[in-house]
């Protein structure tokens, strides 16, 4: 959607020759040292601000100055228009903490660059940072590109002299680190950040623009320009397959539903992982109508689908090996047209299970159930991961800081928690079990779509999904609290965060076949 993709490249120039808008040095707290490639005048300036105590490299601390302020008479070694020092803070003890410090620094750089309207920015990588070179450049790249994100698609351009702008070109200088590794990390960080930004774009588009058909079109285009294979099941195909969940939720909408399928194939010998993402392009609640205050945010109810589709894009771009991945995105609106599903109705899901509708606002589980059952029957995956903005209850429990994780397999749960920690997208596991499952027993059908009270709402929603995965190792990520309004960070804007994309790609890039349950 952003035609003007932000460029990020390795710099082949000496920083002394960079004559762009902003030259940036990343500085560790209490270690006033810079890479030897940094112009001498900046070394001297740093010593001075250090000795005065004005700049210590603490987290998110910045110092902006101009070459004329530091140059001696014959000094021509800083040609950039401005210089920015950015603090990293003290190196975190944990490796994931150090990764996050670099993303935060990247976000700070993008923000400060925006304020001074810099278009071309050169960042020199920090010296002696305890991470592999590729990791350093990946995390910094993620922070720069995610922090530089804007969504102004529907704004008429006008002259606003004080409004921060977007950087057009970033350059990374390796600062003496191994160039090849830095380049590799940059490419990976770029693919991940661009995928997450694409997911943000989809979410930012209102429901009248980002429709089920828009999901299908995006996937078809991906199928044409990448190694991904795309198929889309339309309403007629869903009717043949008896997908009563997606069809039922769709009944109140004038727009037809779509079941988007993307396949990433490596080797037949590799295991297959199935991803499923909730693609509810607007959730009014249906007949069980939501209250109007804040209902506009329900255009974001497709963030699970967006994360899954763009994660596939990044998997293809980074040429992940060792795993086959299939993504399913059931997409529809949940509206209250005259044919809409009603409380008390009974539907039949793909595979035959029946469900009594108690609340038409508990629609996410209905569309996911069909997709999970269909995906497992069709692709026999070794593991399934679904992402969905499924319950308001997860916000009550975990707020906007952790994604809720529920799983029937400890190994899969641990992998996701680890991948989330690595990506700066933390997750907290909640229990499942028969005592919760009982809450969705129905007197008239096999199961009902909501419990009789609101207790354990996130868990009973997951119990519903669990009915459709059988014994297949499965994990469900409830991203209702993190898909938008996620913890404020320099590289996470207000609005949709793109959460899940980087975690999924990290998890799948390191995929090893799961060990049979019981064996450690
Ligand atoms: N899309 C909502 C969940 C949601 C709510 C996400 C608030 C983000 C913020 C979902 O379809 C829903 O409405 N769930 C109901 C389920 C209930 C009726 C059992 C909920 O959480 O209230
Ligand atoms: Zn709902
Ligand atoms: Zn919903």
């Amino acid at each position: 959607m952003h035609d003007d993709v932000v460029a990020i490249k390795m710099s082949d120039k000496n920083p002394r020759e960079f004559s762009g808008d902003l030259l940036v040095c990343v500085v560790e707290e209490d270690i006033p040292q810079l890479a030897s490639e940094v112009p001498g005048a900046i070394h001297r300036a740093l010593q001075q601000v250090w000795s005065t105590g004005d700049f210590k490299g603490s987290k998110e601390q910045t110092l902006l100055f101009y070459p004329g302020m530091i140059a001696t008479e014959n000094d021509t070694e800083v040609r950039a228009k401005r210089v920015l020092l950015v603090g990293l803070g003290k190196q975190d003890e944990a490796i994931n903490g150090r990764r996050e410090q670099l993303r935060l620094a990247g976000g700070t750089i993008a923000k400060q660059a925006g304020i001074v309207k810099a278009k071309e920015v050169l960042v020199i990588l920090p010296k002696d940072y305890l991470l592999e070179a590729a990791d350093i450049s990946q995390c910094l790249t993620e922070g720069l590109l995610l922090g530089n994100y804007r969504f102004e698609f529907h704004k008429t351009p006008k002259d606003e002299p004080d409004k921060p702008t977007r950087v057009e070109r970033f350059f990374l200088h390796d600062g003496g680190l191994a160039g090849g590794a830095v380049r590799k990390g940059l490419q990976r960080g770029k693919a991940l950040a661009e995928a997450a930004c694409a997911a943000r774009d989809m979410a930012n588009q209102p429901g009248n623009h980002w429709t089920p058909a828009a999901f299908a079109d995006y996937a078809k285009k991906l199928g044409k320009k990448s190694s991904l294979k795309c198929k889309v099941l339309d309403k007629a195909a869903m009717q043949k397959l008896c997908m009563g969940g997606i069809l039922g939720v769709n009944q109140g909408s004038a727009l037809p539903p779509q079941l988007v399928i993307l396949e990433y194939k490596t080797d037949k010998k590799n295991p297959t992982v199935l991803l499923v993402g909730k693609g509810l392009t607007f959730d009014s609640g249906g007949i069980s109508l939501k209250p109007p205050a804040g209902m506009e945010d329900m255009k974001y109810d497709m963030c699970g689908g967006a994360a899954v589709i763009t994660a596939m894009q990044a998997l293809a771009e980074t040429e992940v090996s060792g795993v086959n991945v299939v993504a399913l995105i059931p997409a529809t609106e949940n509206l209250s047209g005259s044919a809409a599903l009603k409380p008390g109705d009974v539907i039949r899901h793909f595979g035959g299970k029946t469900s009594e509708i108690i609340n038409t606002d508990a629609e996410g589980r209905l569309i996911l159930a069909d997709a999970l059952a269909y995906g497992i029957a069709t692709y026999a995956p070794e593991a399934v991961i679904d992402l969905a903005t499924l319950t308001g209850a997860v916000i009550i429990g975990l707020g906007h800081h952790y994604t809720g994780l529920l799983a029937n397999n400890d190994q899969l749960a641990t992998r996701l928690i680890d991948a989330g920690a690595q990506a700066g997208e933390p997750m907290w596991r909640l229990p499942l079990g028969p005592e919760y499952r009982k809450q969705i027993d129905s007197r008239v059908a096999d199961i009902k779509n909501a419990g009789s009270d609101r207790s354990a709402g996130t868990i009973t929603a997951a119990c519903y999904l669990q009915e459709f995965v059988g014994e297949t190792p499965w994990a469900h990520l409830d991203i209702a609290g993190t898909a938008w309004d996620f913890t404020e960070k320099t590289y996470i804007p207000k609005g949709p965060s793109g959460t899940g994309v980087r975690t999924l790609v990290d998890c799948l890039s390191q995929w090893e076949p799961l060990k049979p349950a019981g064996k450690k």
Side-chain angles (χ1 to χ4, degrees):
M1 236 165 298
H2 277 136
D3 300 328
D4 46 341
V5 172
V6 179
I8 180 156
K9 285 196 224 155
M10 293 279 287
S11 156
D12 44 14
K13 278 191 205 148
N14 188 305
R16 292 178 184 86
E17 288 160 30
F18 174 72
S19 57
D21 303 309
L22 186 64
L23 175 62
V24 185
C25 303
V26 183
V27 187
E28 234 179 272
E29 184 166 341
D30 293 337
I31 307 186
Q33 274 170 25
L34 296 170
S36 54
E37 286 77 2
V38 173
I42 300 178
H43 282 270
R44 292 196 299 277
L46 178 62
Q47 298 308 328
Q48 206 173 6
V49 293
W50 205 274
S51 59
T52 56
D54 295 351
F55 180 86
K56 284 282 177 204
S58 54
K59 188 177 159 204
E60 289 171 39
Q61 193 181 19
T62 56
L63 186 76
L64 179 73
F65 51 90
Y66 298 80
M69 296 160 81
I70 54 172
T72 54
E73 241 166 63
N74 328 323
D75 235 343
T76 52
E77 56 176 6
V78 185
R79 296 198 194 149
K81 291 203 186 84
R82 309 168 184 86
V83 179
L84 181 72
L85 301 181
V86 175
L88 273 175
K90 283 201 175 72
Q91 285 206 44
D92 201 283
E93 281 172 18
I95 184 165
N96 288 333
R98 298 199 285 280
R99 290 186 171 116
E100 183 70 358
Q101 281 178 309
L102 287 163
R103 283 187 210 105
L104 291 171
T108 304
I109 294 167
K111 213 160 131 190
Q112 293 298 319
I115 293 171
V116 296
K117 302 192 192 315
K119 297 274 172 227
E120 228 179 51
V121 176
L122 173 67
V123 184
I124 304 171
L125 296 189
K127 195 177 142 71
D128 299 330
Y129 202 65
L130 280 176
L131 271 182
E132 302 214 346
D135 231 351
I136 295 182
S137 62
Q138 179 186 331
C139 294
L140 198 62
T141 300
E142 287 177 18
L144 290 170
L145 297 184
L146 291 168
N148 193 40
Y149 177 82
R150 307 270 187 292
F151 185 79
E152 289 166 349
F153 190 89
H154 298 285
K155 287 258 187 204
T156 307
K158 57 178 179 208
D159 245 354
E160 288 173 283
D162 296 331
K163 201 177 126 199
T165 56
R166 246 170 117 218
V167 176
E168 287 169 8
R169 279 179 298 281
F170 285 110
F171 297 95
L172 289 193
H173 190 282
D174 63 31
L177 298 173
V182 171
R183 177 168 284 114
K184 240 172 117 180
L186 182 152
Q187 294 305 350
R188 187 171 165 75
K190 179 172 185 278
L192 288 170
E194 281 175 357
C197 288
R200 289 177 184 175
D201 274 349
M202 294 175 189
N204 268 315
Q205 283 293 5
N208 60 336
H209 284 250
W210 196 260
T211 55
F215 260 126
D217 290 346
Y218 190 94
K220 283 179 196 159
K221 279 193 194 127
L222 265 185
K224 289 212 178 93
K225 66 180 184 202
S226 72
S227 57
L228 300 172
K229 207 171 125 199
C230 173
K231 276 190 255 176
V232 178
L233 301 189
D234 63 7
K235 188 168 168 178
M238 290 180 215
Q239 281 164 335
K240 268 197 196 141
L241 291 163
C242 297
M243 294 185 161
I246 311 178
L247 292 165
V249 173
N250 182 253
Q251 276 169 213
S253 162
L255 302 179
Q258 312 279 343
L259 180 59
V260 177
I261 307 175
L262 280 171
E263 296 175 8
Y264 177 68
K265 287 197 177 144
T266 51
D267 192 319
K268 276 210 179 88
K269 282 184 244 137
N270 288 333
T272 295
V273 175
L274 175 69
L275 305 178
V276 178
K278 173 176 172 182
L280 224 294
T281 59
F282 186 76
D283 182 10
S284 70
I287 295 295
S288 315
L289 196 62
K290 286 182 181 295
M295 204 207 272
E296 64 279 9
D297 280 355
M298 283 299 123
K299 69 173 183 176
Y300 299 142
D301 211 16
M302 35 53 72
C303 284
V308 162
I309 221 170
T310 57
M312 293 300 280
Q313 169 184 327
L315 286 175
E317 186 150 342
T318 54
E319 297 176 359
V320 165
S321 57
V323 63
N324 298 303
V325 188
V326 178
L328 296 189
I329 299 102
T332 174
E333 303 178 313
N334 184 23
L335 295 179
S336 50
S338 59
L341 205 59
K342 306 172 291 297
D345 286 357
V346 173
I347 59 164
R348 184 181 293 272
H349 281 292
F350 174 89
K353 203 161 279 190
T354 59
S355 174
E356 180 191 6
I357 305 305
I358 299 297
N359 190 320
T360 64
D361 197 10
E363 84 300 334
R365 64 200 75 183
L366 304 183
I367 70 169
L368 291 172
D370 282 340
L372 289 167
Y374 175 76
I376 290 170
T378 311
Y379 298 96
E382 108 158 346
V384 186
I385 305 166
D386 79 74
L387 275 83
T389 47
L390 205 62
T391 64
V394 80
I395 309 176
I396 307 296
L398 300 176
H400 295 283
H401 311 300
Y402 276 70
T403 286
L405 164 72
L406 300 101
N408 64 1
N409 180 289
D410 294 347
Q411 223 185 122
L412 181 59
T414 306
R415 280 188 193 185
L416 283 162
I417 290 170
D418 290 349
Q422 182 171 331
E425 298 180 335
M427 293 178 197
W428 196 260
R429 190 172 178 185
L430 298 171
L432 286 164
E435 57 280 46
Y436 295 106
R437 163 65 185 78
K438 248 172 90 65
Q439 290 180 227
I440 52 168
D441 277 346
S442 164
R443 282 194 296 123
V444 299
D446 297 335
I447 187 175
K448 61 183 178 186
N449 84 328
S452 320
D453 61 26
R454 287 147 56 94
S455 67
T458 303
I459 302 175
T460 51
C463 287
Y464 191 95
L465 302 181
Q466 191 175 10
E467 289 291 304
F468 298 87
V469 299
E471 296 303 307
T472 307
W474 153 80
H476 158 63
L477 306 184
D478 193 332
I479 57 170
T482 50
W484 69 98
D485 293 351
F486 186 34
T487 318
E488 210 175 320
K489 299 186 194 184
T490 59
Y491 67 92
I492 307 277
K494 291 205 162 58
S497 60
T499 200
V501 180
R502 291 179 302 108
T503 297
L504 283 178
V505 180
D506 273 346
C507 182
L508 292 165
S509 316
Q510 306 160 37
W511 195 263
E512 294 275 335
L514 286 174
K515 295 191 183 65
K519 289 195 185 162
K520 295 253 156 142

